Amino acid sequence: DTGVSQNPRHKITKRGQNVTFRCDPISEHNRLYWYRQTLGQGPEFLTYFQNEAQLEKSRLLSDRFSAERPKGSFSTLEIQRTEQGDSAMYLCASSLTGQGGEQFFGPGTRLTVL
Amino acid sequence: GESVGLHLPTLSVQEGDNSIINCAYSNSASDYFIWYKQESGKGPQFIIDIRSNMDKRQGQRVTVLLNKTVKHLSLQIAATQPGDSAVYFCAFTGNQFYFGTGTSLTVIP
């Protein structure tokens, strides 16, 4: 499978714990995006990388959230001191510069904070 | 802030009929307007996009229309099939990437 992969697919954690998600983009894609989606809503942009550079961050991305893409390939999204409001589906997508609006999404990581 | 709105949260059509899904937006400074389809339990899937300097673009069974005067985007699906049942999101690019709240399309056999 050469699509975007995300791990884990599901994560249940207790409030206050830290969690980390991984995204592996399509190998030749230089752009990588993170989104959060809650039930009945569209994906909300969190941040995106071009190669290893983090170019944009949403105001939704509080100080408890951090994303990295150290070698311009896979990316991690860490949430520190999780809160119940962090419960959501976290989606990763990748694209190539010049592909217009087309992004390829992974299946997501569903986070449940108890 | 940016906003993307959809006129109808749900849409039901008979199999074989054409479907039209509408979207209103507020930001004029966008390079691309895009439609995505999301099936239950899956990530969004790109359908078609249109550059801001175009009015119409056609794909396989789909047509996207962009009316910048009234800031309106629509997706037309010809000969709707049961496999088209999903939630459809409009989106647009700016410094960030914005999605609407979605329209749930149900195709009645």
Side-chain angles (χ1 to χ4, degrees), chain B residues 5-75:
Chain B
L6 288 164
H7 292 309
L8 293 172
T10 61
L11 178 66
S12 295
V13 298
Q14 289 290 139
E15 180 178 358
D17 287 352
N18 297 335
S19 303
I20 300 176
I21 302 172
N22 297 302
C23 178
Y25 64 93
S26 61
N27 188 324
S28 300
S30 178
D31 292 330
Y32 286 92
F33 297 84
I34 311 107
W35 284 100
Y36 280 87
K37 171 186 179 183
Q38 188 172 28
E39 297 174 322
S40 181
K42 296 182 178 180
Q45 178 184 6
F46 173 86
I47 301 172
I48 190 169
D49 63 5
I50 185 169
R51 198 155 187 169
S52 58
N53 61 356
M54 298 171 64
D55 299 319
K56 179 179 180 179
R57 189 176 183 205
Q58 289 184 293
Q60 187 176 10
R61 286 201 303 118
V62 295
T63 301
V64 56
L65 299 177
L66 176 62
N67 186 329
K68 293 180 287 295
T69 302
V70 296
K71 298 183 180 180
H72 184 266
L73 183 72
S74 69
L75 176 71

Side-chain angles (χ1 to χ4, degrees), chain A:
Chain A
D1 188 350
T2 57
V4 178
S5 62
Q6 293 187 246
N7 288 289
R9 294 292 308 278
H10 303 273
K11 179 69 176 179
I12 299 174
T13 191
K14 293 183 179 179
R15 189 175 51 186
Q17 298 296 304
N18 299 343
V19 294
T20 299
F21 309 140
R22 177 178 170 127
C23 172
D24 287 90
I26 293 172
S27 59
E28 64 269 24
H29 284 184
N30 60 339
R31 289 187 171 179
L32 187 149
Y33 308 80
W34 285 100
Y35 296 85
R36 179 173 68 188
Q37 186 175 27
T38 54
L39 195 63
Q41 300 295 316
E44 296 174 294
F45 172 86
L46 294 178
T47 188
Y48 96 91
F49 294 82
Q50 179 148 313
N51 301 312
E52 66 275 9
Q54 189 172 17
L55 296 187
E56 285 291 334
K57 290 172 62 174
S58 165
R59 287 169 294 181
L60 294 172
L61 213 65
S62 75
D63 291 345
R64 296 185 297 105
F65 288 70
S66 62
E68 295 182 343
R69 194 184 184 199
K71 297 182 180 179
S73 55
F74 74 91
S75 175
T76 58
L77 177 69
E78 181 183 18
I79 308 174
Q80 296 181 327
R81 305 181 303 281
T82 52
E83 302 172 356
Q84 288 185 324
D86 297 330
S87 295
M89 177 73 82
Y90 289 84
L91 293 164
C92 175
S94 69
S95 73
L96 270 174
T97 307
Q99 273 188 338
E102 184 173 12
Q103 296 179 14
F104 294 80
F105 280 81
T109 294
R110 180 166 295 284
L111 173 66
T112 301
V113 182
L114 303 176

